[in-house]
Every structure is written in C-alpha cells, then in structure tokens.
Amino acid sequence: MKEQIKIEQFIEAPVDKVWLAITDCNLISEWLMETNFKPEIGYKCYFKMPAMPGFDGNIQCEVIDVVENKLLVYTWQGGWMKQPTTVRFTLQPKDDGTLLLLEHFGFEGILGNLLKRMMSGGWGKKIRTIIPSLIKQKL
Amino acid sequence: MGQKDKDYYSITYQTKTMKQRRDVFFAIADENRRAILTMLAKENKPLTVNTIAADFDVSRENISKHIRVLSESGLVSTNFIGRENYVQLEAVRLAEVHNWIATFESFWKGKLHNLKKLVESKNKKA
C-alpha cells in the first residue's frame, strides 16, 4: 500500500509567482478550491470542494510552516479523517522556471494500520488480484 | 479522541443521509468498526455476531449496530446459517479502500496541472 503521495511539477514561471499562486486565497480558489487560506503559521482555514466519494467536501487545515518562496506546509483533514494528514509544497528554481514538489502524507493513522493488518491476514493476495481487475474494468 | 471530535462525529452520524452513512470511509472512521474488520481479516473466515461481540467490551446490540453500518457500506456481508448470523469481509469494497490513496494522487495531479496552467498564463501576460 502506498502511504505517501509525492508529485513533481515543473512550472515555467519564477518561484515568487508560483509562491503567490499557492498562498493567495483568491488564486488558490482558481486552481485548487475555495478557501480562506493565509500563509501565517498557526492560521486555521478551510478548503471547500465538491463532495465526492469518501468526502463531504469540507477540509480543515492549519498552517504549520511558511518559508517564503521555498516551503509551505499545512495539515489537511477531511470529514472522515480521524487524524489530520500533512500537505507540503517545496519550491526550487530550475532552469527558467520552478520545480514544485507536492507531498501528501500521514495516511498511516487512518487507513494504514487497518490495511497493514488486513494485508498480513491472508487478504493481501485476494486484494492484489482484485485491484488489477478493477482497474481493467475502469479502462 | 477529544471531546470536540466526539461531538463532531456524533453530529456527523446523526445528520448524514442513508446514502452517506453507507460510505466506506464513514464506516471505517469508527474505532470499533475498524477493530471488527481487523478481527475478520485476522481470522480470515466468516465469524458469528456472537463470536465478534464476545471480544468487545461494548454491548452485543452496539456491535450489531456497527456490523449493520459495515454491511450497509458493503465492507461485510451477513448470512444466517441455522440460527447463527455469520459476518464475512467483502474483498471488492476493501480493494476500493486500498485504492483510495491512488484516487487522491490523481486528484493532486489534476490540481497541479491547473496550477501550472494558471501561473504560466499569468506569467506570460506580465
């Protein structure tokens, strides 16, 4: 089971422009979702997204770390999550643009333990064979 | 779990519609229900409601209620054999849970693509 999301995205724009887009609440609303976000450590905010399976659409956040043009970390807690997960953006100048790294982690406490125990309980094989067939169906 | 969380979850529980109550993630948000699933996974065979209830400090009625939520979410199925009600894990729904982080990953990929388009178009205009 994959317990951490790590995505790299190159953006053809200087880091300060990318920084503005991930910290200004009006801009965040344009690419991510409606929010009252402020890049201030300890600030509590929300994200509002359309409901989808597994979500009522409400996400609570708290800003953990802010280093201008470099690093932004906040917690992320959807309705059913017992413990908050963590979202981390890392910005790095590269060539004529910015290399953005997004990491989303901390799922272990919510699903990980349960699934880990299930996997070791003889269900792993069943699930491993079912997932590829589910994916095939979706294609 | 703090009191605030408890209040939140009991409110969530009471105000959710049936459709949302059947949601897999709502079903596994509860500690007792996760323990029931883990027990079924560990034993790797159907267990009677009584066998499950014997392992918990909460009442049999309470366990039955949890099993109903799990059953509504499709995570378990129940079958009467004689007078005993057997509870069985359902692998397909479990696979959906297992796949959930992959779903979240594609969510972020889509959003970061939006971000790239937004920043690059604003940068060109400037």
PDB file of all heavy atoms in Angstrom, chain A residues 87-116:
ATOM      1  N   VAL A  87       0.141  18.229   4.076  1.00  0.00           N
ATOM      2  CA  VAL A  87       0.464  18.584   2.699  1.00  0.00           C
ATOM      3  C   VAL A  87       1.683  19.507   2.733  1.00  0.00           C
ATOM      4  O   VAL A  87       1.714  20.462   3.504  1.00  0.00           O
ATOM      5  CB  VAL A  87      -0.729  19.315   2.030  1.00  0.00           C
ATOM      6  CG1 VAL A  87      -0.353  19.772   0.621  1.00  0.00           C
ATOM      7  CG2 VAL A  87      -1.958  18.423   1.991  1.00  0.00           C
ATOM      8  N   ARG A  88       2.701  19.176   1.912  1.00  0.00           N
ATOM      9  CA  ARG A  88       3.911  20.001   1.894  1.00  0.00           C
ATOM     10  C   ARG A  88       4.266  20.396   0.459  1.00  0.00           C
ATOM     11  O   ARG A  88       4.362  19.550  -0.420  1.00  0.00           O
ATOM     12  CB  ARG A  88       5.068  19.226   2.536  1.00  0.00           C
ATOM     13  CG  ARG A  88       6.396  20.017   2.518  1.00  0.00           C
ATOM     14  CD  ARG A  88       7.413  19.454   3.488  1.00  0.00           C
ATOM     15  NE  ARG A  88       7.800  18.096   3.153  1.00  0.00           N
ATOM     16  CZ  ARG A  88       8.278  17.201   4.030  1.00  0.00           C
ATOM     17  NH1 ARG A  88       8.365  17.514   5.302  1.00  0.00           N
ATOM     18  NH2 ARG A  88       8.607  16.001   3.631  1.00  0.00           N
ATOM     19  N   PHE A  89       4.423  21.689   0.232  1.00  0.00           N
ATOM     20  CA  PHE A  89       4.876  22.200  -1.063  1.00  0.00           C
ATOM     21  C   PHE A  89       6.328  22.659  -0.907  1.00  0.00           C
ATOM     22  O   PHE A  89       6.633  23.420   0.004  1.00  0.00           O
ATOM     23  CB  PHE A  89       4.055  23.426  -1.488  1.00  0.00           C
ATOM     24  CG  PHE A  89       2.603  23.148  -1.770  1.00  0.00           C
ATOM     25  CD1 PHE A  89       1.656  23.226  -0.760  1.00  0.00           C
ATOM     26  CD2 PHE A  89       2.181  22.816  -3.053  1.00  0.00           C
ATOM     27  CE1 PHE A  89       0.306  22.988  -1.026  1.00  0.00           C
ATOM     28  CE2 PHE A  89       0.844  22.575  -3.330  1.00  0.00           C
ATOM     29  CZ  PHE A  89      -0.098  22.657  -2.315  1.00  0.00           C
ATOM     30  N   THR A  90       7.207  22.203  -1.788  1.00  0.00           N
ATOM     31  CA  THR A  90       8.594  22.670  -1.782  1.00  0.00           C
ATOM     32  C   THR A  90       8.893  23.274  -3.149  1.00  0.00           C
ATOM     33  O   THR A  90       8.651  22.642  -4.175  1.00  0.00           O
ATOM     34  CB  THR A  90       9.560  21.498  -1.503  1.00  0.00           C
ATOM     35  OG1 THR A  90       9.053  20.763  -0.388  1.00  0.00           O
ATOM     36  CG2 THR A  90      10.945  21.995  -1.167  1.00  0.00           C
ATOM     37  N   LEU A  91       9.400  24.503  -3.155  1.00  0.00           N
ATOM     38  CA  LEU A  91       9.687  25.218  -4.397  1.00  0.00           C
ATOM     39  C   LEU A  91      11.191  25.343  -4.604  1.00  0.00           C
ATOM     40  O   LEU A  91      11.919  25.620  -3.652  1.00  0.00           O
ATOM     41  CB  LEU A  91       9.072  26.622  -4.353  1.00  0.00           C
ATOM     42  CG  LEU A  91       7.630  26.801  -4.795  1.00  0.00           C
ATOM     43  CD1 LEU A  91       6.705  25.876  -4.037  1.00  0.00           C
ATOM     44  CD2 LEU A  91       7.195  28.247  -4.581  1.00  0.00           C
ATOM     45  N   GLN A  92      11.616  25.155  -5.846  1.00  0.00           N
ATOM     46  CA  GLN A  92      13.042  25.210  -6.150  1.00  0.00           C
ATOM     47  C   GLN A  92      13.213  25.827  -7.532  1.00  0.00           C
ATOM     48  O   GLN A  92      12.560  25.377  -8.484  1.00  0.00           O
ATOM     49  CB  GLN A  92      13.565  23.777  -6.177  1.00  0.00           C
ATOM     50  CG  GLN A  92      14.938  23.617  -5.602  1.00  0.00           C
ATOM     51  CD  GLN A  92      15.406  22.171  -5.757  1.00  0.00           C
ATOM     52  OE1 GLN A  92      14.608  21.240  -5.801  1.00  0.00           O
ATOM     53  NE2 GLN A  92      16.691  21.997  -5.862  1.00  0.00           N
ATOM     54  N   PRO A  93      14.082  26.852  -7.670  1.00  0.00           N
ATOM     55  CA  PRO A  93      14.301  27.386  -9.016  1.00  0.00           C
ATOM     56  C   PRO A  93      14.994  26.337  -9.884  1.00  0.00           C
ATOM     57  O   PRO A  93      15.893  25.650  -9.409  1.00  0.00           O
ATOM     58  CB  PRO A  93      15.241  28.586  -8.793  1.00  0.00           C
ATOM     59  CG  PRO A  93      15.355  28.756  -7.314  1.00  0.00           C
ATOM     60  CD  PRO A  93      14.930  27.490  -6.662  1.00  0.00           C
ATOM     61  N   LYS A  94      14.552  26.204 -11.118  1.00  0.00           N
ATOM     62  CA  LYS A  94      15.184  25.239 -12.009  1.00  0.00           C
ATOM     63  C   LYS A  94      15.075  25.767 -13.432  1.00  0.00           C
ATOM     64  O   LYS A  94      13.982  26.123 -13.881  1.00  0.00           O
ATOM     65  CB  LYS A  94      14.504  23.877 -11.891  1.00  0.00           C
ATOM     66  CG  LYS A  94      15.313  22.756 -12.531  1.00  0.00           C
ATOM     67  CD  LYS A  94      14.482  21.516 -12.731  1.00  0.00           C
ATOM     68  CE  LYS A  94      15.236  20.523 -13.583  1.00  0.00           C
ATOM     69  NZ  LYS A  94      14.380  19.436 -14.043  1.00  0.00           N
ATOM     70  N   ASP A  95      16.218  25.809 -14.138  1.00  0.00           N
ATOM     71  CA  ASP A  95      16.278  26.379 -15.481  1.00  0.00           C
ATOM     72  C   ASP A  95      15.584  27.741 -15.474  1.00  0.00           C
ATOM     73  O   ASP A  95      15.942  28.600 -14.685  1.00  0.00           O
ATOM     74  CB  ASP A  95      15.657  25.421 -16.499  1.00  0.00           C
ATOM     75  CG  ASP A  95      16.337  24.051 -16.451  1.00  0.00           C
ATOM     76  OD1 ASP A  95      17.554  24.012 -16.184  1.00  0.00           O
ATOM     77  OD2 ASP A  95      15.658  23.032 -16.661  1.00  0.00           O
ATOM     78  N   ASP A  96      14.593  27.926 -16.342  1.00  0.00           N
ATOM     79  CA  ASP A  96      13.896  29.217 -16.375  1.00  0.00           C
ATOM     80  C   ASP A  96      12.576  29.169 -15.634  1.00  0.00           C
ATOM     81  O   ASP A  96      11.670  29.958 -15.899  1.00  0.00           O
ATOM     82  CB  ASP A  96      13.660  29.647 -17.831  1.00  0.00           C
ATOM     83  CG  ASP A  96      14.926  30.223 -18.427  1.00  0.00           C
ATOM     84  OD1 ASP A  96      15.799  30.673 -17.636  1.00  0.00           O
ATOM     85  OD2 ASP A  96      15.054  30.218 -19.668  1.00  0.00           O
ATOM     86  N   GLY A  97      12.445  28.258 -14.712  1.00  0.00           N
ATOM     87  CA  GLY A  97      11.159  28.131 -14.032  1.00  0.00           C
ATOM     88  C   GLY A  97      11.297  27.627 -12.614  1.00  0.00           C
ATOM     89  O   GLY A  97      12.281  27.904 -11.925  1.00  0.00           O
ATOM     90  N   THR A  98      10.291  26.884 -12.179  1.00  0.00           N
ATOM     91  CA  THR A  98      10.222  26.408 -10.805  1.00  0.00           C
ATOM     92  C   THR A  98       9.889  24.926 -10.805  1.00  0.00           C
ATOM     93  O   THR A  98       8.993  24.488 -11.529  1.00  0.00           O
ATOM     94  CB  THR A  98       9.093  27.156 -10.038  1.00  0.00           C
ATOM     95  OG1 THR A  98       9.336  28.552 -10.128  1.00  0.00           O
ATOM     96  CG2 THR A  98       9.036  26.740  -8.582  1.00  0.00           C
ATOM     97  N   LEU A  99      10.623  24.193  -9.976  1.00  0.00           N
ATOM     98  CA  LEU A  99      10.266  22.800  -9.771  1.00  0.00           C
ATOM     99  C   LEU A  99       9.483  22.731  -8.460  1.00  0.00           C
ATOM    100  O   LEU A  99       9.992  23.066  -7.398  1.00  0.00           O
ATOM    101  CB  LEU A  99      11.516  21.919  -9.706  1.00  0.00           C
ATOM    102  CG  LEU A  99      11.223  20.421  -9.674  1.00  0.00           C
ATOM    103  CD1 LEU A  99      10.575  19.950 -10.972  1.00  0.00           C
ATOM    104  CD2 LEU A  99      12.498  19.629  -9.406  1.00  0.00           C
ATOM    105  N   LEU A 100       8.225  22.348  -8.588  1.00  0.00           N
ATOM    106  CA  LEU A 100       7.357  22.263  -7.411  1.00  0.00           C
ATOM    107  C   LEU A 100       7.232  20.804  -7.015  1.00  0.00           C
ATOM    108  O   LEU A 100       6.946  19.942  -7.842  1.00  0.00           O
ATOM    109  CB  LEU A 100       5.977  22.837  -7.749  1.00  0.00           C
ATOM    110  CG  LEU A 100       4.881  22.608  -6.717  1.00  0.00           C
ATOM    111  CD1 LEU A 100       5.031  23.551  -5.551  1.00  0.00           C
ATOM    112  CD2 LEU A 100       3.512  22.796  -7.341  1.00  0.00           C
ATOM    113  N   LEU A 101       7.482  20.546  -5.721  1.00  0.00           N
ATOM    114  CA  LEU A 101       7.286  19.187  -5.206  1.00  0.00           C
ATOM    115  C   LEU A 101       6.106  19.213  -4.243  1.00  0.00           C
ATOM    116  O   LEU A 101       6.082  20.013  -3.305  1.00  0.00           O
ATOM    117  CB  LEU A 101       8.553  18.701  -4.492  1.00  0.00           C
ATOM    118  CG  LEU A 101       8.436  17.379  -3.726  1.00  0.00           C
ATOM    119  CD1 LEU A 101       8.253  16.206  -4.680  1.00  0.00           C
ATOM    120  CD2 LEU A 101       9.657  17.150  -2.842  1.00  0.00           C
ATOM    121  N   LEU A 102       5.116  18.385  -4.508  1.00  0.00           N
ATOM    122  CA  LEU A 102       3.984  18.268  -3.590  1.00  0.00           C
ATOM    123  C   LEU A 102       4.058  16.922  -2.895  1.00  0.00           C
ATOM    124  O   LEU A 102       4.198  15.883  -3.536  1.00  0.00           O
ATOM    125  CB  LEU A 102       2.649  18.360  -4.335  1.00  0.00           C
ATOM    126  CG  LEU A 102       1.482  18.043  -3.403  1.00  0.00           C
ATOM    127  CD1 LEU A 102       0.600  19.223  -3.196  1.00  0.00           C
ATOM    128  CD2 LEU A 102       0.683  16.853  -3.871  1.00  0.00           C
ATOM    129  N   GLU A 103       3.988  16.954  -1.572  1.00  0.00           N
ATOM    130  CA  GLU A 103       3.940  15.701  -0.816  1.00  0.00           C
ATOM    131  C   GLU A 103       2.698  15.725   0.062  1.00  0.00           C
ATOM    132  O   GLU A 103       2.359  16.745   0.658  1.00  0.00           O
ATOM    133  CB  GLU A 103       5.182  15.556   0.068  1.00  0.00           C
ATOM    134  CG  GLU A 103       6.474  15.364  -0.718  1.00  0.00           C
ATOM    135  CD  GLU A 103       7.689  15.677   0.127  1.00  0.00           C
ATOM    136  OE1 GLU A 103       7.932  16.877   0.384  1.00  0.00           O
ATOM    137  OE2 GLU A 103       8.351  14.739   0.551  1.00  0.00           O
ATOM    138  N   HIS A 104       2.011  14.618   0.100  1.00  0.00           N
ATOM    139  CA  HIS A 104       0.840  14.490   0.978  1.00  0.00           C
ATOM    140  C   HIS A 104       1.031  13.205   1.755  1.00  0.00           C
ATOM    141  O   HIS A 104       1.076  12.126   1.171  1.00  0.00           O
ATOM    142  CB  HIS A 104      -0.439  14.456   0.121  1.00  0.00           C
ATOM    143  CG  HIS A 104      -1.685  14.650   0.914  1.00  0.00           C
ATOM    144  ND1 HIS A 104      -2.895  14.932   0.342  1.00  0.00           N
ATOM    145  CD2 HIS A 104      -1.912  14.609   2.259  1.00  0.00           C
ATOM    146  CE1 HIS A 104      -3.814  15.053   1.286  1.00  0.00           C
ATOM    147  NE2 HIS A 104      -3.242  14.851   2.456  1.00  0.00           N
ATOM    148  N   PHE A 105       1.178  13.318   3.072  1.00  0.00           N
ATOM    149  CA  PHE A 105       1.486  12.119   3.858  1.00  0.00           C
ATOM    150  C   PHE A 105       0.738  12.123   5.198  1.00  0.00           C
ATOM    151  O   PHE A 105       0.035  13.068   5.527  1.00  0.00           O
ATOM    152  CB  PHE A 105       2.996  11.993   4.086  1.00  0.00           C
ATOM    153  CG  PHE A 105       3.654  13.229   4.652  1.00  0.00           C
ATOM    154  CD1 PHE A 105       3.798  13.392   6.015  1.00  0.00           C
ATOM    155  CD2 PHE A 105       4.110  14.225   3.797  1.00  0.00           C
ATOM    156  CE1 PHE A 105       4.395  14.545   6.536  1.00  0.00           C
ATOM    157  CE2 PHE A 105       4.714  15.367   4.301  1.00  0.00           C
ATOM    158  CZ  PHE A 105       4.850  15.526   5.671  1.00  0.00           C
ATOM    159  N   GLY A 106       0.940  11.026   5.945  1.00  0.00           N
ATOM    160  CA  GLY A 106       0.266  10.902   7.244  1.00  0.00           C
ATOM    161  C   GLY A 106      -1.003  10.092   7.163  1.00  0.00           C
ATOM    162  O   GLY A 106      -1.854  10.155   8.048  1.00  0.00           O
ATOM    163  N   PHE A 107      -1.166   9.319   6.104  1.00  0.00           N
ATOM    164  CA  PHE A 107      -2.358   8.490   5.957  1.00  0.00           C
ATOM    165  C   PHE A 107      -2.304   7.250   6.863  1.00  0.00           C
ATOM    166  O   PHE A 107      -3.305   6.589   7.043  1.00  0.00           O
ATOM    167  CB  PHE A 107      -2.513   8.015   4.512  1.00  0.00           C
ATOM    168  CG  PHE A 107      -2.725   9.120   3.531  1.00  0.00           C
ATOM    169  CD1 PHE A 107      -1.715   9.526   2.688  1.00  0.00           C
ATOM    170  CD2 PHE A 107      -3.951   9.761   3.454  1.00  0.00           C
ATOM    171  CE1 PHE A 107      -1.913  10.552   1.776  1.00  0.00           C
ATOM    172  CE2 PHE A 107      -4.150  10.789   2.548  1.00  0.00           C
ATOM    173  CZ  PHE A 107      -3.134  11.184   1.710  1.00  0.00           C
ATOM    174  N   GLU A 108      -1.104   6.970   7.388  1.00  0.00           N
ATOM    175  CA  GLU A 108      -0.883   5.736   8.139  1.00  0.00           C
ATOM    176  C   GLU A 108      -1.908   5.547   9.255  1.00  0.00           C
ATOM    177  O   GLU A 108      -2.473   4.474   9.421  1.00  0.00           O
ATOM    178  CB  GLU A 108       0.525   5.690   8.755  1.00  0.00           C
ATOM    179  CG  GLU A 108       1.634   5.618   7.719  1.00  0.00           C
ATOM    180  CD  GLU A 108       2.060   6.990   7.222  1.00  0.00           C
ATOM    181  OE1 GLU A 108       1.361   7.971   7.522  1.00  0.00           O
ATOM    182  OE2 GLU A 108       3.080   7.073   6.523  1.00  0.00           O
ATOM    183  N   GLY A 109      -2.132   6.613  10.010  1.00  0.00           N
ATOM    184  CA  GLY A 109      -3.018   6.501  11.171  1.00  0.00           C
ATOM    185  C   GLY A 109      -4.461   6.252  10.808  1.00  0.00           C
ATOM    186  O   GLY A 109      -5.233   5.747  11.615  1.00  0.00           O
ATOM    187  N   ILE A 110      -4.841   6.595   9.603  1.00  0.00           N
ATOM    188  CA  ILE A 110      -6.242   6.490   9.219  1.00  0.00           C
ATOM    189  C   ILE A 110      -6.544   5.129   8.623  1.00  0.00           C
ATOM    190  O   ILE A 110      -7.427   4.423   9.051  1.00  0.00           O
ATOM    191  CB  ILE A 110      -6.583   7.565   8.179  1.00  0.00           C
ATOM    192  CG1 ILE A 110      -6.301   8.935   8.764  1.00  0.00           C
ATOM    193  CG2 ILE A 110      -8.044   7.454   7.774  1.00  0.00           C
ATOM    194  CD1 ILE A 110      -6.118   9.979   7.710  1.00  0.00           C
ATOM    195  N   LEU A 111      -5.794   4.782   7.620  1.00  0.00           N
ATOM    196  CA  LEU A 111      -6.060   3.537   6.906  1.00  0.00           C
ATOM    197  C   LEU A 111      -4.926   2.542   7.050  1.00  0.00           C
ATOM    198  O   LEU A 111      -5.138   1.352   7.054  1.00  0.00           O
ATOM    199  CB  LEU A 111      -6.244   3.836   5.418  1.00  0.00           C
ATOM    200  CG  LEU A 111      -7.340   4.797   5.038  1.00  0.00           C
ATOM    201  CD1 LEU A 111      -7.283   5.058   3.545  1.00  0.00           C
ATOM    202  CD2 LEU A 111      -8.687   4.244   5.407  1.00  0.00           C
ATOM    203  N   GLY A 112      -3.722   3.080   7.177  1.00  0.00           N
ATOM    204  CA  GLY A 112      -2.531   2.249   7.100  1.00  0.00           C
ATOM    205  C   GLY A 112      -2.528   1.061   8.040  1.00  0.00           C
ATOM    206  O   GLY A 112      -2.331  -0.067   7.623  1.00  0.00           O
ATOM    207  N   ASN A 113      -2.777   1.340   9.333  1.00  0.00           N
ATOM    208  CA  ASN A 113      -2.719   0.260  10.306  1.00  0.00           C
ATOM    209  C   ASN A 113      -3.729  -0.819   9.991  1.00  0.00           C
ATOM    210  O   ASN A 113      -3.426  -1.999  10.024  1.00  0.00           O
ATOM    211  CB  ASN A 113      -2.965   0.802  11.712  1.00  0.00           C
ATOM    212  CG  ASN A 113      -1.737   1.498  12.251  1.00  0.00           C
ATOM    213  OD1 ASN A 113      -0.645   1.298  11.722  1.00  0.00           O
ATOM    214  ND2 ASN A 113      -1.916   2.312  13.267  1.00  0.00           N
ATOM    215  N   LEU A 114      -4.927  -0.387   9.702  1.00  0.00           N
ATOM    216  CA  LEU A 114      -6.004  -1.324   9.385  1.00  0.00           C
ATOM    217  C   LEU A 114      -5.615  -2.173   8.179  1.00  0.00           C
ATOM    218  O   LEU A 114      -5.693  -3.393   8.212  1.00  0.00           O
ATOM    219  CB  LEU A 114      -7.281  -0.540   9.087  1.00  0.00           C
ATOM    220  CG  LEU A 114      -8.433  -1.324   8.499  1.00  0.00           C
ATOM    221  CD1 LEU A 114      -9.061  -2.223   9.543  1.00  0.00           C
ATOM    222  CD2 LEU A 114      -9.483  -0.388   7.927  1.00  0.00           C
ATOM    223  N   LEU A 115      -5.171  -1.486   7.144  1.00  0.00           N
ATOM    224  CA  LEU A 115      -4.856  -2.201   5.910  1.00  0.00           C
ATOM    225  C   LEU A 115      -3.631  -3.089   6.065  1.00  0.00           C
ATOM    226  O   LEU A 115      -3.601  -4.188   5.545  1.00  0.00           O
ATOM    227  CB  LEU A 115      -4.667  -1.207   4.772  1.00  0.00           C
ATOM    228  CG  LEU A 115      -5.971  -0.534   4.346  1.00  0.00           C
ATOM    229  CD1 LEU A 115      -5.695   0.681   3.485  1.00  0.00           C
ATOM    230  CD2 LEU A 115      -6.875  -1.496   3.611  1.00  0.00           C
ATOM    231  N   LYS A 116      -2.648  -2.592   6.814  1.00  0.00           N
ATOM    232  CA  LYS A 116      -1.446  -3.384   7.024  1.00  0.00           C
ATOM    233  C   LYS A 116      -1.813  -4.710   7.674  1.00  0.00           C
ATOM    234  O   LYS A 116      -1.371  -5.774   7.275  1.00  0.00           O
ATOM    235  CB  LYS A 116      -0.469  -2.619   7.926  1.00  0.00           C
ATOM    236  CG  LYS A 116       0.850  -2.308   7.216  1.00  0.00           C
ATOM    237  CD  LYS A 116       1.769  -1.539   8.120  1.00  0.00           C
ATOM    238  CE  LYS A 116       2.038  -0.152   7.568  1.00  0.00           C
ATOM    239  NZ  LYS A 116       2.598   0.758   8.530  1.00  0.00           N
TER     240      LYS A 116
END
